[in-house]
Amino acid sequence: MDKKQFLTREVPKLMAQLKPDTEPRFGLMTPQHMVEHLTLGVKTSVKRYGEPEGTPTDRQLGFKRFIEKGAIFEHRPNNKTKADLPELKYKSLEEALQQIPVAVERFYNHFEANPDFKAYSAFMGELGFEELELFHYMHFRYHLWQFGLLEKYP
Protein backbone atom coordinates (compact mmCIF):
# COMPACT_ATOMS: atom_id res chain seq x y z
CA MET A 1 0.00 0.00 0.00
CA ASP A 2 1.40 3.37 -0.93
CA LYS A 3 1.62 6.33 1.41
CA LYS A 4 -1.26 8.25 -0.15
CA GLN A 5 -3.59 5.27 0.08
CA PHE A 6 -2.59 4.73 3.71
CA LEU A 7 -3.13 8.37 4.66
CA THR A 8 -6.37 8.85 2.73
CA ARG A 9 -8.06 5.46 3.18
CA GLU A 10 -6.53 3.46 6.02
CA VAL A 11 -6.01 6.25 8.54
CA PRO A 12 -9.72 7.16 8.75
CA LYS A 13 -10.65 3.47 9.15
CA LEU A 14 -8.07 2.93 11.87
CA MET A 15 -8.89 6.18 13.66
CA ALA A 16 -12.58 5.20 13.72
CA GLN A 17 -11.59 2.53 16.26
CA LEU A 18 -10.23 5.17 18.64
CA LYS A 19 -12.28 5.86 21.76
CA PRO A 20 -11.93 8.85 24.09
CA ASP A 21 -10.69 6.53 26.86
CA THR A 22 -8.19 4.56 24.74
CA GLU A 23 -4.97 4.36 26.74
CA PRO A 24 -1.66 4.88 24.92
CA ARG A 25 1.14 2.33 25.23
CA PHE A 26 3.34 5.23 26.35
CA GLY A 27 3.31 9.00 26.52
CA LEU A 28 0.94 11.60 27.92
CA MET A 29 -1.37 12.42 25.04
CA THR A 30 -5.03 11.54 25.12
CA PRO A 31 -6.58 10.20 21.92
CA GLN A 32 -7.93 13.65 21.10
CA HIS A 33 -4.57 15.30 21.74
CA MET A 34 -2.95 12.83 19.36
CA VAL A 35 -5.55 13.47 16.65
CA GLU A 36 -5.24 17.24 16.97
CA HIS A 37 -1.42 16.95 16.99
CA LEU A 38 -1.43 14.97 13.73
CA THR A 39 -3.96 17.28 12.09
CA LEU A 40 -1.92 20.36 12.99
CA GLY A 41 1.20 18.73 11.57
CA VAL A 42 -0.47 18.12 8.22
CA LYS A 43 -2.04 21.58 8.09
CA THR A 44 1.24 23.35 8.81
CA SER A 45 3.09 21.40 6.13
CA VAL A 46 1.47 23.34 3.30
CA LYS A 47 2.66 26.71 4.57
CA ARG A 48 5.82 28.71 4.88
CA TYR A 49 6.57 30.18 8.28
CA GLY A 50 9.13 32.75 7.28
CA GLU A 51 12.02 32.31 4.90
CA PRO A 52 15.42 30.65 5.30
CA GLU A 53 18.13 32.92 6.65
CA GLY A 54 21.33 31.76 5.02
CA THR A 55 22.52 28.21 5.48
CA PRO A 56 20.30 25.67 7.27
CA THR A 57 20.73 25.43 11.03
CA ASP A 58 22.05 22.30 12.76
CA ARG A 59 18.49 21.54 13.88
CA GLN A 60 17.19 21.83 10.31
CA LEU A 61 20.00 19.64 8.99
CA GLY A 62 19.24 17.10 11.73
CA PHE A 63 15.57 17.05 10.77
CA LYS A 64 16.51 16.56 7.12
CA ARG A 65 18.74 13.60 8.12
CA PHE A 66 15.84 12.18 10.18
CA ILE A 67 13.67 12.25 7.03
CA GLU A 68 16.44 10.82 4.83
CA LYS A 69 16.87 7.91 7.27
CA GLY A 70 13.18 7.00 6.98
CA ALA A 71 11.56 9.29 9.59
CA ILE A 72 11.45 6.56 12.24
CA PHE A 73 10.08 8.04 15.45
CA GLU A 74 11.15 6.93 18.91
CA HIS A 75 9.52 7.61 22.26
CA ARG A 76 11.75 9.83 24.34
CA PRO A 77 10.56 10.13 27.92
CA ASN A 78 10.85 13.57 29.49
CA ASN A 79 9.74 15.49 32.56
CA LYS A 80 6.49 16.79 31.08
CA THR A 81 3.14 16.05 32.72
CA LYS A 82 -0.44 16.07 31.47
CA ALA A 83 -0.58 19.71 32.61
CA ASP A 84 1.87 20.49 29.79
CA LEU A 85 -0.48 19.21 27.08
CA PRO A 86 -1.92 21.93 24.84
CA GLU A 87 -5.51 23.00 25.25
CA LEU A 88 -7.84 21.04 23.00
CA LYS A 89 -9.16 22.92 19.97
CA TYR A 90 -12.23 20.76 19.26
CA LYS A 91 -15.16 19.93 21.51
CA SER A 92 -14.89 16.16 21.11
CA LEU A 93 -12.78 13.37 19.72
CA GLU A 94 -15.39 12.84 16.98
CA GLU A 95 -15.12 16.46 15.88
CA ALA A 96 -11.31 16.27 15.93
CA LEU A 97 -11.37 13.05 13.89
CA GLN A 98 -13.37 14.78 11.15
CA GLN A 99 -10.46 17.15 10.59
CA ILE A 100 -7.91 14.51 9.58
CA PRO A 101 -9.32 13.62 6.14
CA VAL A 102 -9.87 17.31 5.41
CA ALA A 103 -6.25 18.17 6.27
CA VAL A 104 -4.85 15.19 4.33
CA GLU A 105 -6.95 16.03 1.27
CA ARG A 106 -5.74 19.66 1.43
CA PHE A 107 -2.16 18.42 1.64
CA TYR A 108 -2.47 16.33 -1.53
CA ASN A 109 -4.49 18.98 -3.38
CA HIS A 110 -1.95 21.65 -2.47
CA PHE A 111 0.98 19.69 -3.85
CA GLU A 112 -0.95 18.59 -6.94
CA ALA A 113 -1.54 22.27 -7.75
CA ASN A 114 1.95 23.36 -6.58
CA PRO A 115 4.36 20.44 -7.17
CA ASP A 116 7.47 22.54 -6.60
CA PHE A 117 6.26 24.08 -3.31
CA LYS A 118 8.59 23.75 -0.34
CA ALA A 119 7.18 24.13 3.15
CA TYR A 120 9.40 26.02 5.55
CA SER A 121 9.66 26.42 9.30
CA ALA A 122 12.55 27.38 11.54
CA PHE A 123 12.40 23.89 13.08
CA MET A 124 12.20 21.69 9.96
CA GLY A 125 13.81 23.88 7.33
CA GLU A 126 12.62 23.56 3.74
CA LEU A 127 10.90 20.31 2.76
CA GLY A 128 9.22 19.24 -0.45
CA PHE A 129 6.35 16.89 -1.15
CA GLU A 130 8.15 13.53 -0.96
CA GLU A 131 9.88 14.43 2.30
CA LEU A 132 6.65 15.68 3.86
CA GLU A 133 4.60 12.72 2.65
CA LEU A 134 7.12 10.31 4.21
CA PHE A 135 7.13 12.35 7.42
CA HIS A 136 3.31 12.28 7.68
CA TYR A 137 3.12 8.59 6.77
CA MET A 138 5.60 7.63 9.51
CA HIS A 139 4.17 10.14 12.00
CA PHE A 140 0.67 8.72 11.62
CA ARG A 141 1.96 5.13 11.82
CA TYR A 142 3.87 5.94 15.00
CA HIS A 143 0.88 7.44 16.78
CA LEU A 144 -1.52 4.76 15.53
CA TRP A 145 0.86 2.18 17.00
CA GLN A 146 1.14 4.23 20.21
CA PHE A 147 -2.62 3.89 20.67
CA GLY A 148 -2.78 0.22 19.72
CA LEU A 149 -4.35 0.77 16.30
CA LEU A 150 -1.38 -0.77 14.48
CA GLU A 151 0.30 -3.93 15.71
CA LYS A 152 3.82 -2.96 14.77
CA TYR A 153 5.92 0.05 14.01
CA PRO A 154 7.83 0.98 11.90
Short mmCIF file of all heavy atoms in Angstrom, two decimals, residues 8-43:
data_model
loop_
_atom_site.label_atom_id
_atom_site.label_comp_id
_atom_site.label_asym_id
_atom_site.label_seq_id
_atom_site.Cartn_x
_atom_site.Cartn_y
_atom_site.Cartn_z
N THR A 8 -5.02 8.45 3.11
CA THR A 8 -6.37 8.85 2.73
C THR A 8 -7.43 7.79 3.04
O THR A 8 -8.57 8.14 3.32
CB THR A 8 -6.45 9.20 1.22
OG1 THR A 8 -6.05 8.06 0.45
CG2 THR A 8 -5.59 10.40 0.90
N ARG A 9 -7.05 6.52 3.00
CA ARG A 9 -8.06 5.46 3.18
C ARG A 9 -7.93 4.70 4.49
O ARG A 9 -8.93 4.45 5.17
CB ARG A 9 -7.98 4.47 2.02
CG ARG A 9 -8.35 5.11 0.70
CD ARG A 9 -8.39 4.11 -0.40
NE ARG A 9 -8.62 4.77 -1.68
CZ ARG A 9 -8.29 4.27 -2.82
NH1 ARG A 9 -7.71 3.08 -2.90
NH2 ARG A 9 -8.53 4.94 -3.94
N GLU A 10 -6.72 4.29 4.82
CA GLU A 10 -6.53 3.46 6.02
C GLU A 10 -6.60 4.26 7.32
O GLU A 10 -7.16 3.79 8.30
CB GLU A 10 -5.21 2.69 5.94
CG GLU A 10 -5.20 1.63 4.87
CD GLU A 10 -6.34 0.62 5.01
OE1 GLU A 10 -6.53 0.09 6.12
OE2 GLU A 10 -7.03 0.38 4.00
N VAL A 11 -6.01 5.44 7.31
CA VAL A 11 -6.01 6.25 8.54
C VAL A 11 -7.43 6.50 9.05
O VAL A 11 -7.70 6.25 10.23
CB VAL A 11 -5.22 7.56 8.37
CG1 VAL A 11 -5.51 8.55 9.48
CG2 VAL A 11 -3.72 7.25 8.30
N PRO A 12 -8.37 6.96 8.21
CA PRO A 12 -9.72 7.16 8.75
C PRO A 12 -10.35 5.87 9.31
O PRO A 12 -11.01 5.92 10.34
CB PRO A 12 -10.51 7.69 7.54
CG PRO A 12 -9.48 8.32 6.67
CD PRO A 12 -8.25 7.46 6.83
N LYS A 13 -10.11 4.75 8.65
CA LYS A 13 -10.65 3.47 9.15
C LYS A 13 -10.05 3.11 10.51
O LYS A 13 -10.76 2.69 11.42
CB LYS A 13 -10.36 2.34 8.16
CG LYS A 13 -11.14 2.40 6.88
CD LYS A 13 -10.73 1.23 5.99
CE LYS A 13 -11.13 1.44 4.56
NZ LYS A 13 -10.58 0.40 3.68
N LEU A 14 -8.74 3.25 10.61
CA LEU A 14 -8.07 2.93 11.87
C LEU A 14 -8.48 3.89 12.99
O LEU A 14 -8.75 3.48 14.11
CB LEU A 14 -6.56 2.93 11.68
CG LEU A 14 -6.02 1.82 10.79
CD1 LEU A 14 -4.57 2.10 10.39
CD2 LEU A 14 -6.13 0.47 11.48
N MET A 15 -8.52 5.17 12.66
CA MET A 15 -8.89 6.18 13.66
C MET A 15 -10.33 6.00 14.14
O MET A 15 -10.64 6.37 15.28
CB MET A 15 -8.71 7.59 13.09
CG MET A 15 -7.27 7.98 12.90
SD MET A 15 -6.50 8.38 14.47
CE MET A 15 -5.00 9.16 13.90
N ALA A 16 -11.18 5.43 13.32
CA ALA A 16 -12.58 5.20 13.72
C ALA A 16 -12.66 4.25 14.91
O ALA A 16 -13.66 4.24 15.64
CB ALA A 16 -13.39 4.67 12.54
N GLN A 17 -11.61 3.47 15.13
CA GLN A 17 -11.59 2.53 16.26
C GLN A 17 -11.19 3.21 17.57
O GLN A 17 -11.30 2.62 18.64
CB GLN A 17 -10.60 1.40 15.98
CG GLN A 17 -10.91 0.61 14.74
CD GLN A 17 -9.77 -0.34 14.41
OE1 GLN A 17 -9.22 -1.00 15.29
NE2 GLN A 17 -9.40 -0.39 13.13
N LEU A 18 -10.71 4.44 17.47
CA LEU A 18 -10.23 5.17 18.64
C LEU A 18 -11.40 5.63 19.50
O LEU A 18 -12.40 6.13 19.00
CB LEU A 18 -9.44 6.39 18.14
CG LEU A 18 -8.47 7.07 19.08
CD1 LEU A 18 -7.40 6.12 19.58
CD2 LEU A 18 -7.83 8.25 18.35
N LYS A 19 -11.27 5.43 20.78
CA LYS A 19 -12.28 5.86 21.76
C LYS A 19 -11.67 6.93 22.66
O LYS A 19 -10.45 6.94 22.87
CB LYS A 19 -12.76 4.68 22.61
CG LYS A 19 -13.28 3.50 21.81
CD LYS A 19 -14.56 3.84 21.09
CE LYS A 19 -15.05 2.67 20.28
NZ LYS A 19 -15.42 2.99 18.93
N PRO A 20 -12.48 7.80 23.22
CA PRO A 20 -11.93 8.85 24.09
C PRO A 20 -11.11 8.32 25.27
O PRO A 20 -10.20 8.99 25.75
CB PRO A 20 -13.17 9.60 24.59
CG PRO A 20 -14.20 9.35 23.55
CD PRO A 20 -13.93 7.96 23.04
N ASP A 21 -11.41 7.09 25.71
CA ASP A 21 -10.69 6.53 26.86
C ASP A 21 -9.60 5.52 26.46
O ASP A 21 -9.05 4.84 27.32
CB ASP A 21 -11.67 5.89 27.84
CG ASP A 21 -12.46 4.75 27.23
OD1 ASP A 21 -12.40 4.55 26.00
OD2 ASP A 21 -13.17 4.06 27.99
N THR A 22 -9.26 5.45 25.16
CA THR A 22 -8.19 4.56 24.74
C THR A 22 -6.89 5.00 25.40
O THR A 22 -6.52 6.17 25.34
CB THR A 22 -8.03 4.58 23.20
OG1 THR A 22 -9.26 4.18 22.59
CG2 THR A 22 -6.91 3.63 22.75
N GLU A 23 -6.23 4.05 26.05
CA GLU A 23 -4.97 4.36 26.74
C GLU A 23 -3.79 4.14 25.78
O GLU A 23 -3.73 3.13 25.09
CB GLU A 23 -4.79 3.44 27.95
CG GLU A 23 -5.72 3.76 29.11
CD GLU A 23 -5.38 5.08 29.78
OE1 GLU A 23 -4.19 5.44 29.87
OE2 GLU A 23 -6.33 5.75 30.23
N PRO A 24 -2.84 5.07 25.76
CA PRO A 24 -1.66 4.88 24.92
C PRO A 24 -0.71 3.86 25.55
O PRO A 24 -0.74 3.64 26.76
CB PRO A 24 -1.02 6.26 24.89
CG PRO A 24 -1.43 6.89 26.18
CD PRO A 24 -2.81 6.35 26.48
N ARG A 25 0.11 3.25 24.73
CA ARG A 25 1.14 2.33 25.23
C ARG A 25 2.19 3.10 26.02
O ARG A 25 2.88 2.54 26.87
CB ARG A 25 1.84 1.65 24.06
CG ARG A 25 0.96 0.75 23.26
CD ARG A 25 1.67 0.22 22.03
NE ARG A 25 0.69 -0.42 21.18
CZ ARG A 25 0.93 -1.47 20.43
NH1 ARG A 25 2.12 -1.99 20.39
NH2 ARG A 25 -0.02 -1.99 19.70
N PHE A 26 2.35 4.36 25.71
CA PHE A 26 3.34 5.23 26.35
C PHE A 26 2.93 6.67 26.06
O PHE A 26 2.11 6.94 25.21
CB PHE A 26 4.75 4.96 25.82
CG PHE A 26 4.85 5.09 24.34
CD1 PHE A 26 5.08 6.33 23.75
CD2 PHE A 26 4.68 3.99 23.51
CE1 PHE A 26 5.13 6.46 22.37
CE2 PHE A 26 4.75 4.11 22.13
CZ PHE A 26 4.97 5.35 21.57
N GLY A 27 3.53 7.58 26.78
CA GLY A 27 3.31 9.00 26.52
C GLY A 27 2.11 9.56 27.28
O GLY A 27 1.37 8.84 27.95
N LEU A 28 1.94 10.86 27.15
CA LEU A 28 0.94 11.60 27.92
C LEU A 28 -0.32 11.93 27.15
O LEU A 28 -1.35 12.23 27.74
CB LEU A 28 1.55 12.91 28.43
CG LEU A 28 2.77 12.79 29.33
CD1 LEU A 28 3.36 14.17 29.59
CD2 LEU A 28 2.39 12.11 30.63
N MET A 29 -0.24 11.94 25.83
CA MET A 29 -1.37 12.42 25.04
C MET A 29 -2.61 11.55 25.21
O MET A 29 -2.52 10.33 25.32
CB MET A 29 -1.02 12.47 23.55
CG MET A 29 -0.14 13.63 23.18
SD MET A 29 -0.09 13.92 21.39
CE MET A 29 1.15 12.75 20.91
N THR A 30 -3.74 12.23 25.20
CA THR A 30 -5.03 11.54 25.12
C THR A 30 -5.29 11.26 23.64
O THR A 30 -4.61 11.83 22.78
CB THR A 30 -6.15 12.44 25.67
OG1 THR A 30 -6.30 13.56 24.78
CG2 THR A 30 -5.88 12.91 27.09
N PRO A 31 -6.27 10.41 23.32
CA PRO A 31 -6.58 10.20 21.92
C PRO A 31 -6.86 11.51 21.17
O PRO A 31 -6.37 11.71 20.05
CB PRO A 31 -7.82 9.30 21.96
CG PRO A 31 -7.64 8.52 23.23
CD PRO A 31 -7.04 9.52 24.18
N GLN A 32 -7.62 12.40 21.79
CA GLN A 32 -7.93 13.65 21.10
C GLN A 32 -6.69 14.52 20.93
O GLN A 32 -6.52 15.15 19.88
CB GLN A 32 -9.04 14.42 21.83
CG GLN A 32 -9.50 15.64 21.04
CD GLN A 32 -10.74 16.30 21.61
OE1 GLN A 32 -11.50 15.67 22.35
NE2 GLN A 32 -10.95 17.55 21.26
N HIS A 33 -5.81 14.55 21.91
CA HIS A 33 -4.57 15.30 21.74
C HIS A 33 -3.76 14.76 20.56
O HIS A 33 -3.21 15.52 19.77
CB HIS A 33 -3.71 15.25 23.02
CG HIS A 33 -4.15 16.19 24.07
ND1 HIS A 33 -4.94 15.81 25.13
CD2 HIS A 33 -3.92 17.51 24.24
CE1 HIS A 33 -5.17 16.85 25.91
NE2 HIS A 33 -4.57 17.90 25.39
N MET A 34 -3.70 13.45 20.45
CA MET A 34 -2.95 12.83 19.36
C MET A 34 -3.55 13.20 18.01
O MET A 34 -2.84 13.56 17.08
CB MET A 34 -2.94 11.30 19.55
CG MET A 34 -2.21 10.54 18.47
SD MET A 34 -3.27 9.96 17.12
CE MET A 34 -4.21 8.68 17.91
N VAL A 35 -4.88 13.14 17.90
CA VAL A 35 -5.55 13.47 16.65
C VAL A 35 -5.32 14.94 16.28
O VAL A 35 -4.98 15.26 15.14
CB VAL A 35 -7.06 13.15 16.74
CG1 VAL A 35 -7.83 13.72 15.56
CG2 VAL A 35 -7.28 11.64 16.86
N GLU A 36 -5.46 15.82 17.24
CA GLU A 36 -5.24 17.24 16.97
C GLU A 36 -3.77 17.52 16.62
O GLU A 36 -3.48 18.35 15.76
CB GLU A 36 -5.71 18.09 18.15
CG GLU A 36 -7.23 18.04 18.32
CD GLU A 36 -7.78 19.05 19.30
OE1 GLU A 36 -7.08 20.03 19.64
OE2 GLU A 36 -8.95 18.87 19.73
N HIS A 37 -2.86 16.82 17.27
CA HIS A 37 -1.42 16.95 16.99
C HIS A 37 -1.12 16.55 15.55
O HIS A 37 -0.42 17.27 14.83
CB HIS A 37 -0.68 16.05 18.00
CG HIS A 37 0.73 15.77 17.70
ND1 HIS A 37 1.76 16.68 17.89
CD2 HIS A 37 1.33 14.64 17.24
CE1 HIS A 37 2.90 16.12 17.55
NE2 HIS A 37 2.68 14.89 17.15
N LEU A 38 -1.66 15.43 15.10
CA LEU A 38 -1.43 14.97 13.73
C LEU A 38 -2.07 15.92 12.71
O LEU A 38 -1.46 16.24 11.69
CB LEU A 38 -1.97 13.55 13.54
CG LEU A 38 -1.18 12.45 14.25
CD1 LEU A 38 -1.93 11.14 14.18
CD2 LEU A 38 0.22 12.33 13.67
N THR A 39 -3.27 16.36 13.00
CA THR A 39 -3.96 17.28 12.09
C THR A 39 -3.17 18.58 11.94
O THR A 39 -2.97 19.07 10.82
CB THR A 39 -5.39 17.59 12.60
OG1 THR A 39 -6.11 16.36 12.71
CG2 THR A 39 -6.13 18.53 11.67
N LEU A 40 -2.70 19.12 13.04
CA LEU A 40 -1.92 20.36 12.99
C LEU A 40 -0.64 20.15 12.17
O LEU A 40 -0.27 21.01 11.36
CB LEU A 40 -1.57 20.83 14.40
CG LEU A 40 -0.76 22.11 14.50
CD1 LEU A 40 -1.54 23.29 13.91
CD2 LEU A 40 -0.38 22.38 15.94
N GLY A 41 0.00 19.02 12.34
CA GLY A 41 1.20 18.73 11.57
C GLY A 41 0.95 18.75 10.08
O GLY A 41 1.74 19.29 9.30
N VAL A 42 -0.15 18.14 9.66
CA VAL A 42 -0.47 18.12 8.22
C VAL A 42 -0.82 19.52 7.74
O VAL A 42 -0.35 19.97 6.69
CB VAL A 42 -1.63 17.12 7.93
CG1 VAL A 42 -2.03 17.20 6.46
CG2 VAL A 42 -1.22 15.71 8.29
N LYS A 43 -1.64 20.23 8.51
CA LYS A 43 -2.04 21.58 8.09
C LYS A 43 -0.85 22.52 7.95
O LYS A 43 -0.80 23.33 7.03
CB LYS A 43 -3.03 22.17 9.10
CG LYS A 43 -4.42 21.59 9.00
CD LYS A 43 -5.33 22.25 10.03
CE LYS A 43 -6.76 21.79 9.90
NZ LYS A 43 -7.64 22.45 10.89
#
